[in-house]
Amino acid sequence: MSTTAHDLRVRLRLLVALGLATTLVLFGAYRAVHDDAARLAGASSPGVLAVDTARSALGLARAAVPEAGLEGAGTGAFQTRVSVAHQALALAASENVTGIEGRRTLQTVTGLIAVYSGWVEQAHREPAGSPLRTAYLHYADRVLDAPGTDEDIMGRLDELRARQLAVADRQAALGTPLTLAWAAAAVLFTALCAALWEAQRFTRRRFRALADAPMLAAAALWAAGAAMLAWLTLRTRGATAEALRELRGEPTGDGIATAGARVAAHLADVDVRAAASDWILVGGVALVALSVSGLLPRIAEYRAGTRR
């Protein structure tokens, strides 16, 4: 009794199992990388740069205090820069990079900025040379930036930025789970290609056919698809590394806008690449069907009893 029909069914099941497993693992690995990159582009980077903007604006506001003279601090450069800081902190809160803890820090900082502005306004109600004016400005400086403590505005913003950057680091890093996922995808893809090659060899030997066109096409398309996914993933990994390098530079002043533009340029296409992950499932199922289509007619022949 010929075992060809049984051998064909075994190969059919193997190709289906390997094809579906490869598709699912590739989908998960690719999606995870690009979802992290999309979060880095859409929330984490703007959040870090917003904190940079607030820090820079408050530094400029501090430098503008002597310029206010006896005219008070309620108008002019000081008030403008404080307003910029408030707007930047509102943006940082909306990005919500570090969750509840970050929002609480931002609420505290917003309150401290009001205290800081109040001390400056009190100081500039006093005449030049007044001891009270000097005292009020000293209190304002302590609220804004007290070296050796993290209870001041700048210290809290520095701590928040460090936590935001840690989140961005995790989003830009491959990490052990993703490394294992990509290694598993590589192993499954290799096994699938080997199974396709062996099934092609088997049908060619048993049926004296020069080639099985569906399986050859499937092997070529699997290879092309895997190469494309690997290339897109490497591009995304490179883009996130460059974006992270810009954020680590701690830009100030006009450099913040420049860094933001560079980050946006590096991560410009990550949303499109992330959306493409859904096609991995569609394409994988289609290629599984194509992979086994060369075996189905042979199995049908044996089931019908036309071959022994």
Side-chain angles (χ1 to χ4, degrees):
M1 175 77 86
S2 172
T3 61
T4 301
H6 174 267
D7 293 339
L8 288 170
R9 285 192 293 270
V10 168
R11 283 161 177 79
L12 176 68
R13 287 192 289 269
L14 181 62
L15 288 176
V16 171
L18 285 174
L20 293 178
T22 302
T23 298
L24 291 174
V25 174
L26 272 174
F27 169 78
Y30 180 91
R31 185 66 174 263
V33 169
H34 288 81
D35 279 356
D36 279 345
R39 283 190 286 268
L40 178 62
S44 300
S45 295
V48 172
L49 292 171
V51 171
D52 285 337
T53 300
R55 291 164 73 236
S56 180
L58 289 170
L60 292 172
R62 183 184 197 178
V65 168
E67 300 173 8
L70 299 177
E71 297 175 3
T75 60
F78 177 84
Q79 193 61 36
T80 298
R81 286 157 183 168
V82 169
S83 296
V84 170
H86 277 299
Q87 291 169 7
L89 294 177
L91 175 59
S94 69
E95 301 300 351
N96 195 28
V97 178
T98 56
I100 294 176
E101 186 179 359
R103 289 200 300 272
R104 287 174 178 166
T105 297
L106 289 168
Q107 289 170 355
T108 301
V109 168
T110 300
L112 288 174
I113 290 176
V115 173
Y116 170 68
S117 298
W119 283 123
V120 173
E121 289 171 3
Q122 285 275 60
H124 286 85
R125 292 193 188 102
E126 300 295 327
S130 166
L132 280 177
R133 176 171 176 160
T134 301
Y136 290 149
L137 289 177
H138 173 73
Y139 296 150
D141 277 344
R142 294 288 298 175
V143 172
L144 179 64
D145 189 6
T149 176
D150 58 359
E151 298 300 313
D152 58 303
I153 293 171
M154 290 301 195
R156 291 175 187 274
L157 288 179
D158 288 344
E159 182 184 356
L160 175 61
R161 188 185 195 279
R163 294 200 303 269
Q164 289 178 320
L165 203 56
V167 173
D169 273 329
R170 289 194 296 273
Q171 291 167 344
L174 196 58
T176 301
L178 269 179
T179 300
L180 292 176
W182 280 103
V187 170
L188 287 168
F189 172 73
T190 302
L192 176 60
C193 289
L196 282 167
W197 177 80
E198 195 281 332
Q200 168 72 24
R201 231 174 124 242
F202 177 82
T203 57
R204 180 179 178 181
R205 186 176 64 251
R206 290 295 177 95
F207 299 98
R208 295 181 176 85
L210 291 177
D212 192 305
M215 282 193 288
L216 285 177
L221 290 173
W222 273 113
M228 176 62 73
L229 293 178
W231 178 69
L232 290 175
T233 301
L234 288 174
R235 278 192 63 191
T236 299
R237 296 276 301 129
T240 55
E242 290 296 327
L244 196 58
R245 189 174 295 112
E246 293 288 344
L247 297 177
R248 284 175 176 158
E250 298 192 24
T252 59
D254 293 339
I256 297 172
T258 302
R262 289 175 179 166
V263 169
H266 290 311
L267 301 175
D269 300 327
V270 293
D271 286 335
V272 176
R273 292 177 220 158
S277 62
D278 292 335
W279 288 99
I280 296 175
L281 296 176
V282 176
V285 171
L287 287 179
V288 168
L290 183 60
S291 299
V292 302
S293 62
L295 297 178
L296 291 175
R298 308 299 183 185
I299 294 174
E301 289 179 24
Y302 274 89
R303 185 180 294 119
T306 58
R307 286 187 179 267
R308 301 293 178 191

